[in-house]
Amino acid sequence: MNCNIAVIKGDGIGPEVVSEAMKVLDAVGVKYGHTFNYEQLLMGGCSIDVHGVPLTDEAVARAKAADAVLLGSIGGNTSTSPWYKLPPEKRPEAGLLKIRKELGLFANLRPAFLYNELKGACPLKEEIADKGFDMMIMRELTGGLYFGARETKELDGVLTAVDTLTYNENEIRRIAIKGFDIAMKRRKKVTSVDKANVLDSSRLWRKIVEEVAKDYPEVTYEHMLVDNCAMQLVKDPAQFDVVLTENMFGDILSDEASMITGSIGMLASASLNETKFGMYEPSGGSAPDIAGQNKANPIATILSAAMMLRYTFDMDKEADAIEAAVQQVLVENYRTCDIVSEGTELVSCSQMGDLIAARV
Ligand code: NAD
């Protein structure tokens, strides 16, 4: 297969970790007979330095023309970088918001997986960590409270702020369909999370999820209130497969789920639109404190590339091969600085990429 990938390395550790992901993709290409064509685009601080804006319209058009986008991370040190003296719409993060909007990326996927070898970093009790967990938090990304009308005004001399939480049935249906589709590629269970005991938007959410579920008889599904889900994530995370939820609940629950895995350098993510198109990136930021030192953990980006193979290109066995290679280097006790512990071997970012590529 011939795959056209827009590559946005970005700032900080972005170029280092994305180069390792490309190395691993190329190893997949050789083994399975695919060609990955890369077009490199600028976004974030590096684009500000060259073009004066964090993302040009031309870069957006080129990203749209690709099959998928592989992104590193953008931004610099928010206290010292000159990029943060610019007005908000000119700062690096404005590029990220613009590309998400332009590409219509409404579904955000964040896997939370506990590697046996990294259980020591899990902050949960040993008997809970011992059971392990492997879930996908699926968050609606372009609707709900963060996109509704808001204002702050004085009412009878009292300052009053209003935020609006709106969802229509189409927005709910398209994310629910994605959620059930993804469950079909996993353990076929969906937990839909809402606050239907209080919110109208959640009651509509529940109704539409039930309608969509009828088209997926192989998938078991349940509804869970968000407050209960927050508790269950730390009490019994092994029960979850796909956790399907709206924007704000997903924002909070996905951070909680990442926290219990114990390492930001291991966490992949994907944002999808209605087609197979997606943007794939590590969950962490540009880590300016370690940038340029060949120290960053490239695994989150490498696993994001595996998600790209699985969800955009339908290459399940190739994605499995990358995930197995990552598991293998951990079993062999290789670690980057963020996950190193006694009895394991410290390797650099590029060495980690070499090790994984060699095991694909
Ligand atoms: P960060 O995720 O960049 O770093 C937090 C800590 O985690 C740091 O100590 C860093 O060294 C470490 N870390 C992160 N990724 C790592 C990796 N792959 N390997 C090893 N260690 C890793 O968060 P921050 O310091 O709050 O933000 C730094 C910059 O990144 C800011 O400009 C912020 O706006 C930006 N940011 C960008 C994105 C994105 O591009 N999607 C996301 C979050 C933050």
Side-chain angles (χ1 to χ4, degrees):
M1 191 172 176
N2 209 357
C3 309
N4 295 318
I5 302 168
V7 172
I8 303 178
K9 291 188 172 181
D11 306 314
I13 60 169
E16 300 164 55
V17 294
V18 172
S19 300
E20 299 316 310
M22 290 162 73
K23 191 186 277 177
V24 172
L25 282 174
D26 289 337
V28 169
V30 169
K31 176 156 181 199
Y32 294 92
H34 303 301
T35 306
F36 296 107
N37 307 307
Y38 306 109
E39 181 173 26
Q40 303 220 18
L41 305 174
L42 294 181
M43 184 170 84
C46 55
S47 173
I48 296 173
D49 291 346
V50 176
H51 301 295
V53 289
L55 182 67
T56 62
D57 291 337
E58 197 195 333
V60 171
R62 286 172 182 269
K64 277 185 184 165
D67 299 319
V69 178
L70 180 64
L71 169 64
S73 47
I74 50 108
N77 183 313
T78 47
S79 325
T80 57
S81 162
W83 299 326
Y84 295 92
K85 296 198 171 63
L86 297 166
E89 69 281 5
K90 293 260 172 74
R91 291 181 192 167
E93 285 69 19
L96 197 55
L97 296 180
K98 178 172 170 176
I99 200 164
R100 283 183 182 149
K101 186 163 171 247
E102 291 279 345
L103 299 176
L105 304 171
F106 66 87
N108 180 246
L109 278 72
R110 286 214 350 216
F113 178 77
L114 185 62
Y115 287 91
N116 211 10
E117 296 71 27
L118 300 181
K119 273 186 181 158
C122 172
L124 300 179
K125 278 187 182 161
E126 216 177 305
E127 66 257 33
I128 300 174
D130 273 347
K131 282 180 22 193
F133 53 84
D134 174 7
M135 74 186 94
M136 181 72 80
I137 308 279
M138 178 103 198
R139 164 188 173 195
E140 201 289 327
L141 204 56
T142 56
L145 200 57
Y146 298 170
F147 288 85
R150 66 181 59 115
E151 65 172 332
T152 304
K153 59 186 172 190
E154 219 173 273
L155 279 180
D156 300 328
V158 180
L159 265 182
T160 307
V162 182
D163 294 292
T164 323
L165 200 180
T166 309
Y167 270 109
N168 69 42
E169 59 177 304
N170 299 329
E171 291 169 313
I172 301 170
R173 188 167 289 108
R174 66 181 185 178
I175 182 89
I177 290 170
K178 278 271 184 225
F180 280 82
D181 280 346
I182 280 161
M184 286 295 290
K185 281 182 172 265
R186 296 176 45 96
R187 301 194 309 279
K188 300 191 174 66
K189 179 180 175 191
V190 169
T191 304
S192 173
V193 176
D194 61 37
K195 189 72 184 168
N197 52 344
V198 180
L199 300 175
D200 264 38
S201 55
S202 282
R203 280 193 280 273
L204 182 62
W205 181 278
R206 212 172 256 220
K207 177 176 183 288
I208 302 300
V209 168
E210 281 182 6
E211 283 174 22
V212 170
K214 289 193 183 108
D215 294 331
Y216 296 84
E218 285 177 57
V219 177
T220 45
Y221 78 99
E222 62 182 354
H223 300 290
M224 190 177 279
L225 295 175
V226 61
D227 36 355
N228 184 26
C229 183
M231 290 191 288
Q232 295 297 328
L233 274 175
V234 289
K235 190 170 163 242
D236 180 19
Q239 71 184 284
F240 295 112
D241 179 16
V242 172
V243 175
L244 171 67
T245 191
E246 60 97 78
N247 202 343
M248 183 179 63
F249 298 160
D251 188 8
I252 299 166
L253 295 175
S254 61
D255 269 16
E256 188 187 357
S258 346
M259 188 60 221
I260 57 173
T261 67
S263 173
I264 186 87
M266 303 289 298
L267 297 171
S269 93
S271 301
L272 309 177
N273 70 11
E274 255 145 344
T275 67
K276 291 266 170 199
F277 186 93
M279 185 163 85
Y280 299 86
E281 58 182 307
S283 293
S286 60
D289 52 332
I290 56 166
Q293 300 171 40
N294 196 17
K295 277 165 78 168
N297 185 347
I299 292 180
T301 316
I302 291 169
L303 291 173
S304 302
M307 290 181 84
M308 177 173 75
L309 298 186
R310 197 180 297 286
Y311 297 118
T312 290
F313 298 114
D314 277 322
M315 296 180 183
D316 285 341
K317 68 175 183 308
E318 291 85 340
D320 289 345
I322 295 181
E323 289 166 5
V326 167
Q327 181 95 50
Q328 185 58 31
V329 295
L330 296 176
V331 169
E332 291 175 42
N333 274 331
Y334 295 111
R335 304 281 191 275
T336 43
C337 65
D338 55 321
I339 50 173
V340 73
S341 60
E342 220 181 301
T344 61
E345 184 176 339
L346 179 65
V347 296
S348 66
C349 179
S350 55
Q351 284 171 325
M352 185 55 100
D354 288 339
L355 288 163
I356 295 169
R359 282 155 184 74
V360 158

